[in-house]
Amino acid sequence: LGSAAANAEAAARADTDTTEAAGGAFVAFEPITPEQAFAWTFVARHLHATASAKSQAAAKTTGAAAAAHAAAASDCHNLLEALLPDSASQLACLVRAHLRAGE
């Protein structure tokens, strides 16, 4: 009986820590380790800093150099957007999964 209750609780948690993505598929959120969080934070900060620097460089130059800097900035922004949850509800599910993992 104890394992059935644990299975039911795990299923309930799985249901609440999922959200529908833009394409109609459901996305499950699992907590990440502190080391993984540090690595992702470093990647996100690096992409943001690079995108900002390239955007500023594009604004200060003209011609092909400006286009190259703008393209690099756009690539960094796109990668940064890919790292982030698609919606506020997905972010809430991710936060909820981490809160439950700490219980």
Side-chain angles (χ1 to χ4, degrees), residues 27-82:
V27 178
F29 296 101
E30 295 181 18
I32 59 175
T33 65
E35 294 82 9
Q36 290 171 324
F38 177 77
W40 282 115
T41 300
F42 178 81
V43 169
R45 286 182 179 171
H46 173 73
L47 288 172
H48 180 265
T50 302
S52 295
K54 294 293 183 179
S55 294
Q56 290 174 1
K60 292 178 183 177
T61 59
T62 59
H69 288 304
S74 178
D75 290 344
C76 287
H77 279 120
N78 291 340
L79 289 171
L80 187 57
E81 284 291 322

Side-chain angles (χ1 to χ4, degrees), residues 18-21 29 84-96:
T18 61
T19 187
E20 191 169 359
F29 296 101
L84 302 174
D86 291 334
S87 66
S89 65
Q90 286 184 359
L91 178 61
C93 286
L94 182 61
V95 170
R96 189 170 38 248

